[in-house]
Amino acid sequence: MNRIIRLSCSVMAALLLLTNQSLAEVTIEAGSTIVGQQTSSQNNAINKDVIGSVDLVVDADVGPGALHIYGEGSTTPEISASSVIAGTNADAGTALNKNGKGRFQLSEIAYSFDIDALNISLGVQDLTTFADATAVSNDEGSQFLADALVNNPSIAFPDYTPSLVLNYGEDDGLNATALIANAYGLGDNTNANYGDLFRFGRDKSSGLKKGLFALGEVRIPGEVALTLGGWTRTSELATHLGGANKRSAFGLYGAADAALGDNTTISARFGWNSAKATDEVVSHAS
């Protein structure tokens, strides 16, 4: 059993800047999340009861589109409840160097713009921002903390990664998303550095092919809102038996959201993938 104390705070500021005789808006948001966890067993193994993170988000209108910059820092998780019991804290260790030590890093920098109902976003991005979202479980900072209630663990999402995302549709209508990215993100590479983000060959340490990650998703509005999607990943993955999975992994997933009255929403996820890899599960339902 976990006992969790979570403290969150945020500060927002809007600045109006005069650039080339046009008015541009810059929004700055800062936040911090602190989590204290213990377990009903194995407490002797835990040497860090409290871990935390800080976030800094800057969004600015630039030309015909918007520039998004996200920096984050995290403490070193060491042996915490999240490492003793996997999946209990999706906020733990989100910004680490190659030695597993906490750091502050530039996680995202991307530019997006609209062409009629089509939004195009290009840069180093968190792909979970664009796919696999439900009404009640998509943010470890303000909703559920457990990994499986943040994103579907059957999807082999890379960490922050160079990507191109296309989203088509209106806010209250049918929406479709397609994206392609490097299958190895910032935290997936052995050295956890920015240079490796733009190398698509083999990982220096494991020797496994990095490959690409691609995903397609459709969101259907209604009394029961449905999300249906599929993904593929061409990288080689370490398997339970050691060695590597030489075939591309792929999977299917979905979600359903329904409002039960004014203050209650029910949400469900399901997923399946073809790869019995150490960092994925074969099927999932929540």
Side-chain angles (χ1 to χ4, degrees), residues 39-52:
T39 67
S40 58
S41 62
Q42 297 179 290
N43 281 331
N44 292 334
I46 295 175
N47 63 8
K48 183 163 286 190
D49 296 329
V50 178
I51 55 179

Side-chain angles (χ1 to χ4, degrees), residues 247-272:
R247 298 177 299 175
S248 297
F250 62 91
L252 301 172
Y253 67 94
D257 293 300
L260 304 178
D262 295 333
N263 301 312
T264 304
T265 300
I266 186 170
S267 180
R269 275 191 173 110
F270 65 89
W272 168 88

Side-chain angles (χ1 to χ4, degrees), residues 56-80:
L56 178 64
V57 181
V58 179
D59 291 299
D61 294 334
V62 178
L67 178 66
H68 172 75
I69 299 173
Y70 171 50
E72 66 175 327
S74 69
T75 60
T76 303
E78 296 184 14
I79 304 177
S80 59

Side-chain angles (χ1 to χ4, degrees), residues 18-226:
L18 191 63
T19 305
N20 296 328
Q21 298 182 345
S22 64
L23 206 59
E25 182 176 321
V26 177
T27 302
I28 302 173
E29 181 176 357
S32 177
T33 300
I34 301 172
V35 179
Q37 286 181 312
Q38 288 197 357
T39 67
S40 58
S41 62
Q42 297 179 290
N43 281 331
N44 292 334
I46 295 175
N47 63 8
K48 183 163 286 190
D49 296 329
V50 178
I51 55 179
S53 66
V54 294
D55 305 279
L56 178 64
V57 181
V58 179
D59 291 299
D61 294 334
V62 178
L67 178 66
H68 172 75
I69 299 173
Y70 171 50
E72 66 175 327
S74 69
T75 60
T76 303
E78 296 184 14
I79 304 177
S80 59
S82 60
S83 58
V84 172
I85 302 177
T88 57
N89 185 356
D91 189 61
T94 54
L96 302 177
N97 64 20
K98 65 179 181 179
N99 298 316
K101 301 296 184 181
R103 67 178 179 182
F104 190 87
Q105 66 183 34
L106 176 63
S107 294
E108 292 184 271
I109 179 167
Y111 186 75
S112 62
F113 58 94
D114 296 327
I115 302 176
D116 296 326
L118 176 66
N119 177 265
I120 301 172
S121 186
L122 177 66
V124 177
Q125 305 174 92
D126 177 5
L127 301 185
T128 64
T129 303
F130 304 97
D132 182 42
T134 77
V136 297
S137 57
N138 199 55
D139 188 341
E140 67 274 17
S142 61
Q143 294 171 331
F144 294 99
L145 192 65
D147 293 26
L149 295 177
V150 179
N151 292 114
N152 192 323
S154 72
I155 306 173
F157 280 117
D159 196 31
Y160 305 105
T161 188
S163 54
L164 170 66
V165 181
L166 307 177
N167 185 76
Y168 183 84
E170 303 295 340
D171 290 341
D172 298 325
L174 182 72
N175 277 257
T177 296
L179 58 86
I180 188 167
N182 189 339
Y184 271 54
L186 181 59
D188 304 318
N189 288 294
T190 304
N191 293 321
N193 62 27
Y194 298 100
D196 287 343
L197 273 177
F198 299 93
R199 296 190 178 100
F200 293 83
R202 294 187 176 273
D203 183 71
K204 292 181 179 179
S205 177
S206 67
L208 300 180
K209 183 179 69 174
K210 292 184 177 182
L212 297 173
F213 176 86
L215 178 146
E217 178 180 290
V218 175
R219 295 175 295 281
I220 306 168
E223 292 186 3
V224 178
L226 296 176

